[in-house]
Structure formats: C-alpha cells, structure tokens
Amino acid sequence: MKGDDLIAAARPVLILVIVIWCIAAVNLLLGYRLNHWFGLEPRSFAGLIGVPVMPFLHGGIGHAAANTIPLIFLGALGMLVAPQRFPVASVAIVILSGLATWIFARGGAIHVGASGLIFGWFGYLVALGIIERSARALVGTAIVVIFYGGMIWGVLPQGNALISWEAHLFGALAGAGVAFLQSQTPEGLH
C-alpha cells in the first residue's frame, strides 16, 4: 500500500472528525444545548432529528476525544478495505442504527455520539471478512479483531446510564447487516 492510498482513504474520515470537533466546540459554547435540540430521543417525534445527527453530537470534549481515534482508525481501514462501498455503508449504518435506537432504546435519555457509527464500522468490517473471504476483507477483519476485538463487550447493557449501549448494539448489528446486504447485490449497494 502506498502512502497516497492511505492519505486518500483517511481524507473523508478526517473531514468527518473535523466536523465533529467543530460541532463539539459550538456545543460547548452553547452549554450543550445542541444535544437537547438535536439529540436522539427514543420514541419522540422531535427526537427523530437525532437519527442522522447523533454521530455529530457528543456529551462533552472527553466523549468526542474518546471517539476520535476509533473513528479515524476504523474509518480509514473501511475506506481501504471497501473504498467503493464504505461511504454508502456508513450512511446506511447511521440511519439503521439510529432508527433502531429510536425505536428500542430506553426512554428518558438523549442519545448522542459517534459510537453507534464506530460499532457499525466494527460490525461491518468483521462481517465483510467472514462473508466475502477476499484477502483484503480478511486482513481488514483480522486488524479489527486484533485492535478492537474488546469492543464486543460494549454491546451489553452498561451500568452507566450515560453510555448508550443500545446505539452500540444496533450499530454493530446494522454494520453486519449492511455487509451482508452488500454481498447479495452485484453492485454491492454502491
């Protein structure tokens, strides 16, 4: 792999991270009102806005920081493994995991953060290797399992009410489902 390939793969992910950090700064200045205005609130009609917006909002600077490295790592890896399909997969993961979180997650909470997308990318990359069995997909799966295999525990209910384990679970399921759907079409949903 050439350095140019890595830079090209990381560019859209780096742009996403920059946007997340710009929104985090504005959110901080506004006393995190953006979370209340645009966060995903389960089964609330107004909370539907959070389905596409949730990955861009975070509960604090620490929350955004915790998501930054996995976003860059898994996002760049996804762009390297499936460059044509990964952008569409990412949008589908956000929508599917967001809708499932909106329908099934515990009420009385506002769900924000990119971890649903991160878990979606995890599920996507693991499933892609299992389903496709191409050298590129298998290497991607192996890298994900080696570096982020412990993420699987994040799909279980957490003792911390501030962690949306539901977004983690539905993200991972959406990612695996999108990988399966892409494998079933000649064009791979791209």
Side-chain angles (χ1 to χ4, degrees):
M1 172 189 332
K2 296 183 280 190
D4 292 344
D5 293 340
L6 187 57
I7 291 169
R11 185 174 292 125
V13 178
L14 291 174
I15 291 168
L16 171 66
V17 169
I18 289 168
V19 170
I20 286 171
W21 275 99
C22 289
I23 292 171
V26 170
N27 208 4
L28 174 67
L29 292 172
L30 293 174
Y32 294 97
R33 286 187 187 99
L34 294 179
N35 293 353
H36 296 285
W37 297 339
F38 301 109
L40 189 151
E41 188 177 347
R43 292 169 302 285
S44 159
F45 183 71
L48 272 172
I49 188 74
V51 169
V53 177
M54 186 172 93
F56 297 98
L57 300 172
H58 287 81
I61 297 300
H63 186 202
N67 281 338
T68 296
I69 299 300
L71 278 168
I72 293 170
F73 185 87
L74 293 173
L77 184 61
M79 289 297 292
L80 286 169
V81 169
Q84 299 300 314
R85 296 176 287 166
F86 193 70
V88 171
S90 298
V91 171
I93 289 165
V94 167
I95 300 303
L96 292 172
S97 66
L99 285 173
T101 300
W102 186 82
I103 294 168
F104 297 111
R106 66 193 180 285
I110 296 175
H111 298 258
V112 296
S115 57
L117 177 59
I118 292 167
F119 275 80
W121 286 347
F122 172 84
Y124 179 82
L125 289 165
V126 170
L128 202 61
I130 294 168
I131 293 165
E132 283 191 359
R133 297 189 183 126
S134 69
R136 180 179 273 198
L138 285 170
V139 168
T141 296
I143 291 170
V144 168
V145 169
I146 289 167
F147 288 99
Y148 284 97
M151 282 179 56
I152 196 68
W153 299 111
V155 303
L156 299 175
Q158 307 290 313
N160 186 342
L162 297 177
I163 295 175
S164 180
W165 66 270
E166 300 97 332
H168 297 178
L169 173 63
F170 296 127
L173 293 173
V178 169
F180 175 77
L181 289 173
Q182 285 185 338
S183 73
Q184 300 302 304
T185 61
E187 302 83 33
L189 291 179
H190 65 276

